[in-house]
Amino acid sequence: MIEFQHVFKSYGQGRNILADITFRVAAGEFVYVAGPSGAGKSTLLKLIGGLEAPSRGSIQVNGQRLEQLSARARPYLRRSVGVILQDTHLLYDRSAIENVLLPLTVTGLPNDVARARARAALDKVGLNNKENTPPIELSGGEQQRLAIARAIVNRPAILIADEPTASLDKDTARRIMSVFKDFNRVGVTTLIASHDDDLMAEYATRAFKIEPGKFADSANRRPAHTEP
Ligand code: ADP
Ligand code: ADP
């Protein structure tokens, strides 16, 4: 489903942000991407979403080799990976439903079908009564849920989110995480970058820890009974 093989990433002539990263994430996993600020968490997510290209190595997502993707094929990948970046990029002068409709405009779906789908997406994140509200009038948690609705409206197999609970209080953060868990339960592979170890431990089944020059994968930890 997601496979990295000896992936390196640097920006321009800069140092390697990620160096020699190899892992495989199976369909339906829920992965916590941990690490200090600037470690490369966003970079890792952007590589998976096809928003950045690796400097070296091979990345496979849903059977597609990303380093070989043409500019023409890229939008199709974007549809199979729902992306929620730190800056949600919501359009504040449009209504909630218009924001969710945006990713559907390129699909050529008939208007009424697209609207029904956008409504269903708003419904899944609990914003069915905010359809006509512009994001500016929504709370932080509601804006985050709107960003999730926009990310899942194309029914992606993979959902990646960069610090989706960063500016939220504990209860709101939990509500956001349970929205992700709901999608994960129906099979959506989920990767979330966060700083909140305690919160993520409640939801994730696997953790990647990125530190400058280091990558740890909880799936590679030796089981305790093999210790001498
Ligand atoms: P994190 O999400 O863990 O905070 P990032 O992936 O955002 O880390 O950033 C990792 C490093 O890469 C940082 O040093 C950051 O300044 C650098 N970086 C990120 N994006 C770019 C870019 N577009 N151009 C140059 N450097 C970048
Ligand atoms: P460390 O050796 O510092 O504990 P780990 O790789 O074990 O680093 O884990 C990094 C962080 O991710 C830890 O703070 C831990 O609480 C959390 N963590 C570890 N395993 C999981 C998991 N399966 N699901 C969610 N979070 C986890």
Side-chain angles (χ1 to χ4, degrees), residues 16 29 77 124 157 160 200 227:
N16 281 325
E29 286 198 71
L77 171 80
K124 280 186 201 150
I160 57 184
M200 296 305 292
E227 301 282 343

Side-chain angles (χ1 to χ4, degrees), residues 43-98:
T43 300
L44 181 83
L45 296 182
K46 284 176 182 168
L47 287 170
I48 296 167
L51 303 171
E52 290 286 349
S55 308
R56 264 166 68 194
S58 158
I59 300 178
Q60 201 162 318
V61 174
N62 290 330
Q64 284 181 293
R65 291 281 288 273
L66 300 202
E67 67 279 11
Q68 293 169 349
L69 270 194
S70 65
R72 185 187 288 250
R74 226 157 252 286
Y76 295 95
L77 171 80
R78 296 225 181 116
R79 245 175 274 166
S80 69
V81 183
V83 178
I84 300 153
L85 296 177
Q86 230 165 323
D87 174 353
T88 54
H89 296 285
L90 293 169
L91 300 177
Y92 287 95
D93 57 341
R94 313 264 185 102
S95 66
I97 194 160
E98 282 172 318

Side-chain angles (χ1 to χ4, degrees), residues 1 5 18 22 36 42 51 54-55 67 84 100 113 118-120 152 157 182 184 196-197 222-223 228:
M1 156 94 4
Q5 274 183 38
L18 303 174
T22 296
S42 304
L51 303 171
S55 308
E67 67 279 11
I84 300 153
V100 180
V113 178
R119 279 209 186 92
I152 55 91
D182 287 343
N184 180 246
D196 194 333
D197 285 350
R222 222 164 3 134

Side-chain angles (χ1 to χ4, degrees), residues 31-202:
V31 182
Y32 166 33
V33 181
S37 283
K41 302 183 295 299
S42 304
T43 300
L44 181 83
L45 296 182
K46 284 176 182 168
L47 287 170
I48 296 167
L51 303 171
E52 290 286 349
S55 308
R56 264 166 68 194
S58 158
I59 300 178
Q60 201 162 318
V61 174
N62 290 330
Q64 284 181 293
R65 291 281 288 273
L66 300 202
E67 67 279 11
Q68 293 169 349
L69 270 194
S70 65
R72 185 187 288 250
R74 226 157 252 286
Y76 295 95
L77 171 80
R78 296 225 181 116
R79 245 175 274 166
S80 69
V81 183
V83 178
I84 300 153
L85 296 177
Q86 230 165 323
D87 174 353
T88 54
H89 296 285
L90 293 169
L91 300 177
Y92 287 95
D93 57 341
R94 313 264 185 102
S95 66
I97 194 160
E98 282 172 318
N99 271 276
V100 180
L101 280 166
L102 278 178
L104 293 176
T105 53
V106 293
T107 60
L109 283 177
N111 226 313
D112 53 334
V113 178
R115 274 201 170 258
R117 244 215 227 182
R119 279 209 186 92
L122 285 169
D123 204 37
K124 280 186 201 150
V125 301
L127 286 180
N128 39 324
N129 56 343
K130 304 281 169 137
E131 199 180 302
N132 297 314
T133 308
I136 197 91
E137 291 174 27
L138 297 175
S139 69
E142 287 170 337
Q143 289 185 26
Q144 201 55 244
R145 280 190 273 152
L146 181 56
I148 298 173
R150 191 189 46 190
I152 55 91
V153 73
N154 275 316
R155 300 171 184 160
I158 300 169
L159 196 49
I160 57 184
D162 197 0
E163 312 223 13
T165 63
S167 54
L168 305 175
D169 63 73
K170 270 242 173 300
D171 286 348
T172 311
R174 257 205 191 85
R175 213 164 300 147
I176 295 299
M177 289 308 295
S178 65
V179 171
F180 284 113
K181 193 73 207 173
D182 287 343
F183 288 110
N184 180 246
R185 265 199 207 100
V186 295
V188 177
T189 309
T190 307
L191 291 95
I192 297 186
S194 170
H195 280 118
D196 194 333
D197 285 350
D198 295 337
L199 182 65
M200 296 305 292
E202 288 178 36

Side-chain angles (χ1 to χ4, degrees), residues 30 32 34 197-198 200-209 216-218 221:
F30 195 127
Y32 166 33
D197 285 350
D198 295 337
M200 296 305 292
E202 288 178 36
Y203 296 90
T205 52
R206 181 174 176 184
F208 292 162
K209 191 170 187 176
D217 179 352
S218 67
R221 244 176 298 171

